[in-house]
Structures are given as C-alpha cells and as structure tokens.
Amino acid sequence: MLTKKVISLFILSNNFLNRICAGCNSVICESRKIDSLNGYWHINCFRCRACNQPIDGSREQFASCGRYPYHKSCYRPKCDVCKNIVPSNPLGSLTNPFWKQESCPSHAHDGTPRCTCCFRFQPRGTKGYIDLHDANRKLCPECMDSAIMVTNKCQPLYAEIHQFYEGLHMPVNKRVPLLLVENEQLYAMVSNKSLDIKGVCVRYMESTINIVTKQHTTPEKRTRPFKLTLDNGIVSGILILFGLPRILTGFMIAHEMMHAWMNLSGYEPMSEEVEEGISQVMGHMWLECELSSSSSRNGRWSNYERKLGEFCKYQVEVSPCPIYGNGFRKAHQAVQKFGLKKTLQHMRRTGNFPF
C-alpha cells in the first residue's frame, strides 16, 4: 500500500548512539542518522528498494511497502487480486482507500468478481463470491452473511427504524408497506435511470409489482405479485433492493422513510438535490446512532457490519454525485448549524436549506 511520508534526519545526543541500522544491521556510531519506518538507518543505507539509490530525507517524500522505502517514482504496488506487480500505466493502480485494496486497472473489466456492496474484488484463488442472479450482482462472503434476501425478514428492521423516527418526533404511517424487489423492478419505478438506485418511495401510484418472498436463484421462483394501493392517499410503498447486507438495508430504509415522511407531512415538491440530500442525512444519522459506542444496540452488529456501516457513511460523505453527494453535504451543513427541526421548518417554507 502506498504511503507518503517525509523522513526525519536527527542529530542525536550520545545517549542515543550505537543503535542498529535497519538497512545493514550494523551498529550506527555516527550522531547523524535517519529515524523512519520504525527503525534507525545510516544516511547511506536509507535507499530505494527498487533502484538502490539513496533517498534524500531532508527534501523528498517517499513511499513504503512493508519496512522498505521507495522513491515515489519507483514504487510499483503488488495487486491484491492477482498478486502480480501492477503494470506501469497512466492510471496507476485501482485503490479502494477505505478497504486498503490495490489492484490492476484491468480487473475492473476482465470479469473479476466484485462485491456490489463493499466493492472489493475477489482475490484470485479464493472462492465464495455469491452470484445473486440479478443484474450481475455479486456478494462477498462477509456481505452475504448478513444479507436480507426476502421481504418478511426485513420487517423487524423496518419496525426499529419506525422507532428511530418516532424518537425524533417524526412518526411515519405504519400502513406504508416495505417490500424487497429485484433490480429490474426497482428501476421500473424511477424516471432517472442513470443514478445508482437501491431504494425508492413509490408515490401516487397503484400498480402490481413483483416482490421477493423466497430465497431462490431463479427469479420466477423467488417473487410473487403484490398490489400497491393508495390506502393513505399519497405513498403506495417503500421498495428496497433485495440482497443488501442488514446495515445497508437499514440505511436505505431510513433514507426512503424520509421521502415518505415528507410526503405524508404535506411538504411541497422540492428539487432532487434538496429532497435526496435531507434523506441521505437521515440515513447517515441512523448509521451514526447504530454505530455509536454509547448505543444500546451497539453489540448487535458484528465487527464486519460495523466496518461496512462506516464504509457506507464514508461513501455518503465523499460522493461526487451532484444530487446525492452535494445534496447531503448541504443538508448536513444546515442540520449541523441550525438543527434538524429548524432545517425542516425552513424547507417546508422555502423548499430549500437554510444558510
């Protein structure tokens, strides 16, 4: 993994002389030495592992791999997928900064399985990535462990998120059905098909859709028809993509419930950036509440689920999407400055965030 560092050149007192050089393993008798990579080095021993030329610690940054230093221009990472050195190319390596996975750019289009939730590639020689037989979606074993595959299994989580909203004095009509669907059915309900959609709040529509009720690899055997109705006059239902890990399913429910709450509370239509932005904030707030060390439910998430939850928060925070990313950052800034209640009151009056 490439790490940028600046090494320190020390002139140490006699009390710290006679240390062992990490490069040549001999005693350092000089007072001038380099302290870096958890060791001390002779000035002339701190050399690039690739070209064997000294690295000038007083002026240049360097990369490290394990305990070895490299010139930044010489560093060639090893691919975590195929274990080969990443070929020299203008793109460098594909780096997943959250999971610390580096890979050859070719793996993005050479058929290497990639988890559609954590986005990690499957390392060569390993097994276990599961094909959901739905829009080429695959899950790594860790994400599959907590994936919610059928509609009835997500109802307890839905009830908990109802309680989360009630705790914020924002109750949502419990007659709004929560349903898990396949990718094709989800995208059939939205107009903007260029976005990465994992959930939708269906409004002002009565329709028969196919929902996932059985865990099966054949779509025809895992779905059944369901009639969406307008029992409450506005919101027909909340649809979530099946096969998401429990923590990501919860985030999507919290997000889509905000759309339902605003519609049921009489909010006028707003721009996508505003409505999606505040909905992202609600999902982000739910994740923070669940992952907080002081949460009473903190222990119910596995270590991997907690890590995946942090990854979801990270994605929300750094998303480059003009609608979801910019919308979240503007909404989050408003809520941080004015509080949720005043932000929502301002949105009801103006259709925009307070600034």
Side-chain angles (χ1 to χ4, degrees), residues 106-229:
S106 60
H107 297 319
H109 49 77
D110 65 2
T112 299
R114 190 177 197 177
C115 180
T116 51
C117 291
C118 68
F119 300 114
R120 293 179 298 172
F121 287 107
Q122 178 179 344
R124 297 281 170 83
T126 65
K127 297 180 180 179
Y129 274 49
I130 294 90
D131 191 340
L132 296 181
H133 301 280
D134 180 57
N136 202 33
R137 293 195 295 138
K138 295 177 175 64
L139 292 183
C140 67
E142 293 85 357
C143 286
M144 186 65 193
D145 277 346
S146 67
I148 300 181
M149 305 297 289
V150 295
T151 293
N152 68 323
K153 294 294 185 181
C154 70
Q155 300 310 311
L157 185 58
Y158 187 36
E160 291 175 12
I161 298 173
H162 268 290
Q163 294 176 0
F164 170 73
Y165 270 78
E166 289 166 3
L168 296 172
H169 307 290
M170 299 167 60
V172 178
N173 190 322
K174 289 185 171 61
R175 289 183 297 171
V176 176
L178 175 73
L179 309 163
L180 297 192
V181 298
E182 296 173 328
N183 188 77
E184 183 178 3
Q185 180 66 79
L186 193 66
Y187 273 88
M189 312 304 289
V190 299
S191 56
N192 190 345
K193 293 177 170 48
S194 65
L195 297 174
D196 181 19
I197 303 294
K198 292 183 174 65
V200 63
C201 177
V202 183
R203 295 165 277 191
Y204 304 108
M205 180 185 294
E206 292 193 329
S207 176
T208 299
I209 64 171
N210 290 318
I211 66 171
V212 179
T213 58
K214 295 181 180 180
Q215 189 166 340
H216 203 284
T217 57
T218 305
E220 294 78 13
K221 294 183 179 180
R222 67 183 173 212
T223 62
R224 69 168 177 83
F226 182 89
K227 176 69 174 178
L228 290 176
T229 62

Side-chain angles (χ1 to χ4, degrees), residues 284-295:
H284 191 272
M285 284 177 60
W286 179 80
L287 284 174
E288 286 190 321
C289 179
E290 289 295 308
L291 300 176
S292 168
S293 59
S294 61
S295 172

Side-chain angles (χ1 to χ4, degrees), residues 20 28 59-60 65 73 82 128 233 247 252 263 293 301 303 326:
I20 300 299
I28 303 175
R59 288 201 304 265
E60 63 182 315
C65 184
S73 58
C82 64
I247 194 83
M252 289 309 309
N263 279 269
S293 59
W301 302 104
N303 288 337
N326 291 347

